Amino acid sequence: DDEDEYVFEDEVEGFYDKPVPTLTTLLRDRFKVQRRQLGSEPKKKKNYWQHLPNLAYELRKFWDDLGMPLEPYLVVVPNEALLNYYNAHSLRYGISLYGTRDILASQLAKVKPEYDGNLLNGYQVSIMSGQWKV
């Protein structure tokens, strides 16, 4: 037979010797070129971060800048390591004003975004796993 044999992953020597990369590691490796420069964004106005639609906009912009646009109804709150890696310190500050990411997620779920002239029920918020220190 000239048919190729399928080789199972566990039959490949050393397959399980490599550690499984985390999502943060994968994102770091993929977007090293796009790392933000410190102080590259203008300072936000006073009380900018207390307005939840501003924070939702900045969270969505963070992912857009990384080349990962989100659906109009979705907000993903990144972990602290990713924000630090990309020097998104002002966004990190804005998130920390709400205490925990869980509290922020519950607050953002109440914000009713507008998309194509239609008012949506509220953002669907996901929290990226990983450590957060306030």
Side-chain angles (χ1 to χ4, degrees):
D1 288 328
D2 290 333
E3 293 182 33
D4 293 331
E5 283 188 38
Y6 181 79
V7 178
F8 291 95
E9 293 170 344
D10 57 351
E11 294 175 355
V12 177
E13 188 175 326
F15 180 80
Y16 290 107
D17 295 342
K18 298 177 186 174
V20 177
T22 63
L23 180 59
T24 303
T25 305
L26 291 173
L27 287 171
R28 281 183 187 166
D29 292 344
R30 181 173 177 198
F31 300 110
K32 279 185 179 176
V33 177
Q34 296 181 11
R35 188 171 178 180
R36 294 178 181 207
Q37 294 300 315
L38 202 57
S40 63
E41 293 188 15
K43 188 172 179 170
K44 306 294 183 203
K45 293 180 182 177
K46 186 177 181 181
N47 297 326
Y48 177 82
W49 295 110
Q50 276 85 20
H51 192 59
L52 280 167
N54 289 344
L55 189 54
Y57 168 79
E58 293 293 335
L59 285 166
R60 294 178 50 75
K61 184 177 177 295
F62 174 78
W63 293 109
D64 284 345
D65 290 349
L66 293 179
M68 300 174 65
L70 302 173
E71 295 293 328
Y73 55 85
L74 183 63
V75 172
V76 178
V77 181
N79 63 30
E80 185 180 33
L82 200 60
L83 291 172
N84 286 335
Y85 182 80
Y86 286 109
N87 296 320
H89 302 298
S90 61
L91 181 55
R92 182 180 174 274
Y93 168 75
I95 293 169
S96 69
L97 288 176
Y98 292 88
T100 67
R101 293 184 294 166
D102 295 320
I103 294 170
L104 174 62
S106 66
Q107 294 294 317
L108 284 171
K110 297 174 186 174
V111 174
K112 298 189 180 216
E114 188 175 322
Y115 177 68
D116 283 344
N118 298 322
L119 198 62
L120 303 176
N121 288 334
Y123 282 115
Q124 179 181 343
V125 184
S126 295
I127 300 173
M128 186 176 173
S129 63
Q131 193 172 12
W132 186 268
K133 299 175 195 166
V134 180

